[in-house]
Amino acid sequence: MSQVKDIFTGKEHAAPGKGLKGEITVPGDKSISHRSVILGSIAEGRTEISGFLEGEDNLSTIAAFSLMGVNIERDGSRVTVEGRGLDGLQEPTDVINAGNSGTTTRLLLGLLAGRPFFSVITGDESLRSRPMKRVVEPLTQMGAVITGRKGSSVLPLSVSGRRLKGIAYRTPVASAQLKSAILLAGLSADGETIVNEPEKSRDHTERMLRLFGADVKTSGNSTSVRSTNRLTGCKIIVPGDISSAAFFMAGAAFTTGSELLIKDTGINPTRVGIIDILKKMGGSIELNSVRESSGEPVGDILVRGSRLKGVDIDGSELLPAIDEFPIICVAAAFAEGTTRISGAGELRVKESDRIAVMSECLAAIGIKNTEIEDGIIIEGLGAKNAKGGTIKSYGDHRIAMALAMAALRTETGVEIDGAASVDVSFPGFFKLLSKVRFA
Ligand code: S3P
């Protein structure tokens, strides 16, 4: 079994600051990095990945495919995958431990459901409490045999893989992990597999499947794939993760003297909600050098500090910024007036219950807020700074990073309990922050 790091440890003091200045790049996109290893492993021939995110979650995906006999070499952020073809994957020699990674788990459940062998997936304490029924349900309809505790709704889950049949499935939630699980199962299913979503979730799987040669069609919120075992390895350049850039974008946006350029960042339209939300709050954000790389739009993001104002944010606005909820809450805390975020029920089943945890963390540093069932109402401080204090991240990387940014606008800074969790998606986060922070 892979050695999965304890992310609930580590203390870090995040210091106050006047703002952020300079030019940075952030580590590679987490979603795209996962997919590059998954598709590279089931493709024929070599896949060369650059800009791979060396986060704990992505290392869990590499470890899983190593257990299935795939030769994967890593030299920093350069990864070479010797694809074995879909039919070349071997029965894993041990339990797959996905650590903290929901993406590894859900995408693998889809892929493994159609492979002719037995596998078991588990994860850390947080992952073992996250809902898997949403994935198990459609896969079972396709003919998969997946069993586990609590009516096969949580990890550990065992998969007895077999040939599947294609289905047309309407997902109850807009979730890229769910959509991707069904599409990956569709590669081993007779006929066509169609996923209809209530709203369009991030589309990295579709884009990359096309790059590897799969027959994928998209129309509105509907995506279909046809069975194939002929994917071909390719070269992938992973852009910077906009969800990591988001912490720096917001930090620069709510500190008035800031000017920060974040280079080579993914700006896929299904991910740019943070740009739209910060602009709606009055933030100054420019996109430059927009181009396409490995089937994904990429650009440089220039943020200048300004005074933000409170706004209403609904579920549709939040979907392309689904992982940015914690840092949006922090931006709201330093805006003038009240921000009301609603339609955010999914945030209760992320790496932590992000609504409850953000409410607790904001209160701990002196920001008034009210938790509602599907969101939060935050009373912005306007030009004033917060007091500061100690927060618990509950092992959630994005909570730790959001509160580290909040520290900029506090009197005493923020003591972060569980700071090691940042390594899940952003190794080097604190170092990069101290490089661009000015006092
Ligand atoms: C992801 C999809 C999202 C996101 C997660 C990564 C992906 O989850 O929150 O961090 O890579 O597909 P959901 O599909 O559960 O919304």
Side-chain angles (χ1 to χ4, degrees):
M1 196 184 297
S2 65
Q3 275 306 308
V4 176
K5 209 176 122 185
D6 183 358
I7 55 167
F8 288 83
T9 58
K11 273 199 168 62
E12 196 81 38
H13 178 79
K18 286 223 160 53
L20 306 176
K21 249 199 174 78
E23 189 179 305
I24 59 170
T25 55
V26 294
D29 187 277
K30 183 152 80 71
S31 294
I32 298 174
S33 295
H34 279 302
R35 286 151 174 87
S36 64
V37 167
I38 296 173
L39 297 190
S41 295
I42 61 171
E44 273 156 29
R46 177 173 294 177
T47 289
E48 286 174 356
I49 309 161
S50 58
F52 183 82
L53 172 61
E54 301 169 75
E56 294 295 323
D57 272 13
N58 300 99
L59 300 182
S60 295
T61 294
I62 290 188
F65 283 94
S66 302
L67 280 180
M68 289 187 270
V70 183
N71 187 1
I72 304 173
E73 300 277 332
R74 189 166 68 86
D75 177 8
S77 62
R78 286 190 169 273
V79 175
T80 308
V81 184
E82 301 295 345
R84 299 181 63 97
L86 189 55
D87 296 326
L89 282 188
Q90 291 167 4
E91 185 169 77
T93 48
D94 202 344
V95 171
I96 293 170
N97 192 334
N100 193 242
S101 177
T103 307
T104 307
T105 306
R106 296 197 176 114
L107 270 58
L108 274 184
L109 283 171
L111 180 66
L112 294 173
R115 295 295 86 216
F117 51 67
F118 176 78
S119 50
V120 179
I121 308 184
T122 192
D124 72 5
E125 191 186 324
S126 146
L127 190 58
R128 287 197 311 274
S129 69
R130 294 182 65 187
M132 295 298 152
K133 196 79 191 172
R134 55 177 63 179
V135 181
V136 173
E137 185 95 34
L139 295 176
T140 304
Q141 280 184 28
M142 295 175 83
V145 179
I146 302 175
T147 46
R149 300 181 296 132
K150 299 193 177 173
S152 308
S153 63
V154 289
L155 294 184
L157 286 168
S158 71
V159 185
S160 301
R162 60 204 56 215
R163 184 83 199 163
L164 305 172
K165 55 179 190 298
I167 53 167
Y169 192 77
R170 182 174 290 276
T171 64
V173 281
S175 155
Q177 293 177 356
L178 171 53
K179 171 175 63 180
S180 304
I182 301 170
L183 294 176
L184 290 175
L187 295 176
S188 314
D190 293 327
E192 198 180 13
T193 297
I194 306 167
V195 187
N196 270 302
E197 299 189 280
E199 287 184 85
K200 192 177 166 74
S201 65
R202 65 185 68 183
D203 63 357
H204 305 301
T205 302
E206 299 90 298
R207 286 173 184 259
M208 201 181 287
L209 272 170
R210 276 190 207 107
L211 215 59
F212 278 81
D215 180 9
V216 180
K217 292 194 178 67
T218 307
S219 161
N221 300 343
S222 168
T223 312
S224 65
V225 70
R226 285 201 167 272
S227 162
T228 182
N229 54 5
R230 305 280 318 182
L231 301 180
T232 312
C234 50
K235 280 199 169 56
I236 293 181
I237 303 167
V238 181
D241 196 328
I242 189 160
S243 294
S244 297
F247 299 104
F248 287 89
M249 285 168 66
F254 61 64
T255 44
T256 45
S258 289
E259 182 161 331
L260 190 69
L261 180 67
I262 311 170
K263 296 199 63 145
D264 307 326
T265 309
I267 46 167
N268 180 312
T270 60
R271 298 284 302 281
V272 291
I274 182 66
I275 296 180
D276 296 334
I277 290 170
L278 286 174
K279 278 187 173 168
K280 184 172 167 177
M281 297 177 85
S284 158
I285 299 172
E286 263 175 44
L287 279 182
N288 297 313
S289 311
V290 175
R291 59 209 183 268
E292 185 151 317
S293 172
S294 305
E296 291 279 348
V298 181
D300 299 343
I301 304 172
L302 178 66
V303 188
R304 291 194 181 90
S306 53
R307 290 262 173 251
L308 301 182
K309 60 177 195 299
V311 292
D312 283 352
I313 301 167
D314 64 23
S316 302
E317 291 169 287
L318 197 65
L319 179 62
I322 187 79
D323 290 335
E324 281 60 86
F325 175 82
I327 191 63
I328 292 168
C329 290
V330 170
F334 300 115
E336 187 73 52
T338 304
T339 292
R340 184 191 172 91
I341 307 177
S342 59
E346 269 294 295
L347 272 301
R348 295 216 180 263
V349 290
K350 292 290 177 190
E351 286 84 328
S352 67
D353 175 342
R354 286 186 173 155
I355 297 177
V357 174
M358 275 315 295
S359 174
E360 178 184 315
C361 290
L362 291 178
I365 63 166
I367 291 146
K368 281 201 195 120
N369 72 89
T370 312
E371 192 183 333
I372 54 174
E373 202 187 325
D374 67 343
I376 193 166
I377 300 165
I378 297 165
E379 307 298 333
L381 290 174
K384 285 200 295 262
N385 279 354
K387 204 158 64 46
T390 298
I391 67 101
K392 253 167 83 175
S393 76
Y394 293 91
D396 186 329
H397 53 134
R398 300 201 201 280
I399 300 285
M401 291 187 276
L403 270 296
M405 282 298 166
L408 291 171
R409 293 225 8 218
T410 58
E411 287 157 23
T412 60
V414 177
E415 188 79 18
I416 298 165
D417 193 359
S421 61
V422 304
D423 288 352
V424 161
S425 65
F426 201 154
F429 167 81
F430 287 106
K431 215 167 142 197
L432 190 58
L433 174 55
S434 62
K435 202 181 116 191
V436 289
R437 179 181 52 221
F438 62 94

